[in-house]
Amino acid sequence: MDSKIFITRIIPDPGLVLIREHFLPDIWTSDLPPSRGELIAHSHGVDGLLCLLTEKIDGELMDSIGSQLKVISSMSVGVDHIDVAAATARGIPVGNTPGVLTDATADQALALMLSAARRIPEAERFLRAGKWVTWQPSLLLGADFTGSTLGIVGFGRIGQAVARRAQGFDLRVIYHDPSAQPVYGAQPVDMDTLLGESDFVSIHVPLTEKTRHLVNSEFLAKMKSNAVLVNTARGGVLDQTGLYQALKCNRIFAAALDVTDPEPLPMDSPLLELENCIIVPHLGSASKKTRDLMSLLAAQNLISGLKGERLPHCVNPEVYR
Ligand code: DGY
């Protein structure tokens, strides 16, 4: 097939090898994303675009690519970087990579909960600074995890995988998600009950206009003062100014963020001054197996779209009606 393809980064081998069996793609080889101008130039005239969550794919870009564009495939489950409505309006299917990163992301949420509760990064900084002089009864005391109450905001695949893991820690799990059925012993509650009763609050909603800054000063004010907030969803779900204020005055015990807004987080962000805030660079899906599977799914979506077949994982199936 002589379709034209642009891939916006070197993706793991399983996907790349599969694509190269069928096509000769143009691949952006820098570690940094293409600039807007570079994205426009390289994607002009392509039949298929494979992108990451670092690229903004809007209607203007789709039009500049041209009406021959058959598929947009993102190597991510989240598609908030793509104007899906604009793609649908142009009849372009958009593919994503659900399922394969559920476990890795749920593992990361648990790792962050435990790290924040037991102050692991702070303790390691303490040790490396040469401050460990003896065992002390009150040194770096953290929060109890086992037996506590976990509130899950957004009870889709990843939220449910977190609930499943919580059973092993004897957590009481409550969740807020009007569209989800209870599983793994989790109990549905309204948002105020969740915030008022949870020792750990874990965010698992996609970023949409409705969820932008869902976690704001008002939300944080309703949380318990011993509570830990964990965000492995999207940075835009959280108002970082409100979070800084809540952490600075110990309104809540700690926060652990896998995602920020913007990404990367500027090094002058006040959040970086705080001992009770853990921040890691968007690593929820960062295991070798998971990234291999994500690249494979992204490649399968791309190839199906180019062949005019239904994408295995399509976020806008209405294009097929
Ligand atoms: C995704 O795929 O949306 C994740 O955020 C990547 O880790």
Side-chain angles (χ1 to χ4, degrees), residues 92-142:
I92 305 164
V94 175
N96 71 340
T97 62
V100 294
L101 46 69
T102 300
D103 284 331
T105 309
D107 290 347
Q108 179 83 334
L110 264 288
L112 289 173
M113 276 177 223
L114 284 161
S115 298
R118 300 305 295 273
R119 303 168 64 177
I120 303 294
E122 185 186 352
E124 219 228 0
R125 284 194 291 273
F126 175 90
L127 179 143
R128 285 179 188 266
K131 294 182 184 168
W132 186 18
V133 288
T134 183
W135 188 91
Q136 283 170 269
S138 301
L139 179 64
L140 287 163
L141 299 186

Side-chain angles (χ1 to χ4, degrees), residues 217-278:
S217 301
E218 205 187 327
F219 180 108
L220 294 158
K222 292 178 182 167
M223 287 174 64
K224 291 167 73 172
S225 57
N226 67 309
V228 171
L229 175 80
V230 172
N231 186 11
T232 52
R234 282 291 182 268
V237 173
L238 192 149
D239 167 24
Q240 287 172 187
T241 307
L243 179 66
Y244 172 77
Q245 283 152 2
L247 290 171
K248 178 87 182 156
C249 66
N250 297 311
R251 176 63 209 78
I252 62 171
F253 180 70
L257 313 178
D258 185 56
V259 286
T260 62
D261 184 20
E263 292 183 358
L265 186 70
M267 286 311 290
D268 61 358
S269 165
L271 286 174
L272 293 171
E273 294 162 10
L274 301 172
E275 287 286 15
N276 58 350
C277 189
I278 299 174

Side-chain angles (χ1 to χ4, degrees), residues 206-227:
L207 176 62
T208 63
E209 278 325 302
K210 260 178 111 174
T211 61
R212 184 173 297 280
H213 287 192
L214 169 75
V215 182
N216 54 18
S217 301
E218 205 187 327
F219 180 108
L220 294 158
K222 292 178 182 167
M223 287 174 64
K224 291 167 73 172
S225 57
N226 67 309

Side-chain angles (χ1 to χ4, degrees), residues 146-166:
T146 296
S148 62
T149 295
L150 166 64
I152 299 178
V153 180
F155 207 54
R157 284 188 200 85
I158 299 172
Q160 291 178 19
V162 169
R164 185 156 59 85
R165 283 156 177 74

